[in-house]
Amino acid sequence: MAAMTRLFRSSSSSSALCFIQRSLSTAAATEFKSQSGPPRIDPKDRNVQWVFLGCPGVGKGTYASRLSALLGVPHIATGDLVREELSSSGSMSKQLADIVNQGKLVSDEIIINLLSKRLEVGEEKGESGFILDGFPRTVRQAEILNDVTDIDLVVNLKLPENVLLEKCLGRRICSQCGKNFNVASINVKGENGNRDISMAPLLPPSQCVSKLITRSDDTETIVKERLRIYNEKSQPVEDFYRAQGKLLEFDLPGGIPESWPKLLEALNLDENEDKLSATA
Ligand code: AMP
């Protein structure tokens, strides 16, 4: 992690964003093929360096944060880092607002800079391992990450586009505790051989109800643009990891109650009730 932080730092200050390839992971990369699932290992003994891919609204944050609590590694969402920067009075905030509110991607340089700073803070706190959510989003970001560390698993969460749009429009965030909820009740009939998808709303507890906000980029026009950009810039990242045999494709079967146990099964993980109850 320390070396990854350093190299990210050096990469973000270099205009070419290119540097000597070194293997910096503290653990050897796991030989992983998506068909067989990762080997069953006690979560505590596992050096987790995972990436969550998937379209906007698919639930990367929800599942990555649950797994982060289960495995005891930090969940680092670059979207959260961008929103933190946006809400600060920092010099980049106006520039970022314009980009995010058009549904566009922030430059690789800015995002790597924000990620480096986050990793530095984590390093000071003694963090090890990570679950990255929303990074890498371009092949260039994936190549940079590949140059600085070994990613052992990439989970690609999938839902049909019409469900993604409904989910983004129904997303609500508690402005006080930061938790995500969803007011949409989704019942989509599968077409062209696709399965039906039902998802119950994920409603907030009473103390959050009056504090709910929506993300400024969760409007229909902006979500459609984010989906278009995902298909153009981020789908090639799926191919990048597929070629490395690290991609675990996961079609979400429904909402959290149906999907979470199946995801754990696909990851060869056992549920640890004590830790999970703390994240609900
Ligand atoms: P998210 O919460 O992941 O949907 O991210 C919100 C917004 O932050 C995105 O629409 C982008 O503008 C920006 N962003 C987050 N992660 C990245 C990234 N890895 N590369 C470029 N832009 C990003």
Side-chain angles (χ1 to χ4, degrees):
M1 182 85 119
M4 180 163 151
T5 311
R6 267 197 310 279
L7 272 188
F8 259 135
R9 216 185 293 130
S10 70
S11 77
S12 60
S13 58
S14 136
S15 59
L17 283 167
C18 91
F19 41 89
I20 306 160
Q21 176 162 353
R22 285 163 59 185
S23 174
L24 295 154
S25 174
T26 45
T30 310
E31 268 298 311
F32 169 66
K33 296 282 171 273
S34 56
Q35 287 79 8
S36 54
R40 184 177 285 276
I41 307 172
D42 184 322
K44 289 186 285 306
D45 300 335
R46 186 174 190 147
N47 190 297
V48 172
Q49 302 208 144
W50 289 1
V51 164
F52 265 66
L53 296 181
C55 288
V58 76
K60 298 184 293 294
T62 302
Y63 295 103
S65 69
R66 285 182 158 231
L67 285 167
S68 134
L70 178 67
L71 300 168
V73 291
H75 163 217
I76 303 178
T78 45
D80 289 345
L81 302 180
V82 169
R83 279 181 290 278
E84 271 164 36
E85 191 64 35
L86 270 176
S87 61
S88 74
S89 50
S91 55
M92 263 197 301
S93 140
K94 164 85 179 73
Q95 189 193 348
L96 286 180
D98 290 344
I99 298 168
V100 172
N101 288 329
Q102 289 177 61
K104 307 268 185 256
L105 291 185
V106 170
S107 74
D108 292 338
E109 228 135 357
I110 290 178
I111 214 78
I112 286 166
N113 194 20
L114 291 176
L115 184 55
S116 305
K117 282 195 210 148
R118 167 63 187 82
L119 289 168
E120 246 173 273
V121 171
E123 191 190 328
E124 278 158 22
K125 287 197 270 175
E127 283 178 356
S128 80
F130 50 77
I131 300 179
L132 292 178
D133 154 7
F135 185 94
R137 253 313 223 267
T138 63
V139 170
R140 189 156 169 246
Q141 290 176 12
E143 286 167 351
I144 290 169
L145 186 61
N146 204 46
D147 281 345
V148 296
T149 197
D150 286 319
I151 294 300
D152 48 13
L153 177 67
V154 179
V155 182
N156 187 25
L157 297 182
K158 293 184 352 189
L159 277 173
E161 281 212 357
N162 47 355
V163 175
L164 293 168
L165 180 61
E166 278 197 55
K167 278 196 73 200
C168 285
L169 299 182
R171 176 158 45 197
R172 300 290 181 275
I173 299 154
C174 174
S175 54
Q176 193 161 59
C177 72
K179 282 193 178 158
N180 272 256
F181 303 99
N182 209 299
V183 296
S185 177
I186 296 174
N187 281 296
V188 172
K189 229 70 230 86
E191 285 167 6
N192 308 322
N194 290 327
R195 67 222 143 85
D196 297 350
I197 298 212
S198 296
M199 289 186 190
L202 180 61
L203 297 174
S206 55
Q207 69 270 21
C208 297
V209 170
S210 61
K211 299 168 191 118
L212 294 185
I213 51 167
T214 49
R215 271 172 54 169
S216 60
D217 57 349
D218 272 345
T219 66
E220 182 164 350
T221 315
I222 302 175
V223 172
K224 284 184 171 161
E225 176 63 1
R226 286 160 61 205
L227 289 169
R228 190 190 67 75
I229 300 239
Y230 183 90
N231 291 332
E232 182 188 314
K233 309 253 193 226
S234 306
Q235 222 158 38
V237 178
E238 297 176 13
D239 301 333
F240 179 90
Y241 287 118
R242 191 174 291 112
Q244 296 185 359
K246 291 181 177 172
L247 197 70
L248 174 72
E249 306 269 15
F250 189 78
D251 282 302
L252 288 156
I256 297 171
E258 305 85 32
S259 303
W260 175 241
K262 289 214 163 64
L263 181 61
L264 289 179
E265 200 183 314
L267 293 169
N268 265 335
L269 287 172
D270 282 323
E271 194 158 9
N272 174 330
E273 291 295 341
D274 290 337
K275 279 190 178 169
L276 286 178
S277 56
T279 70

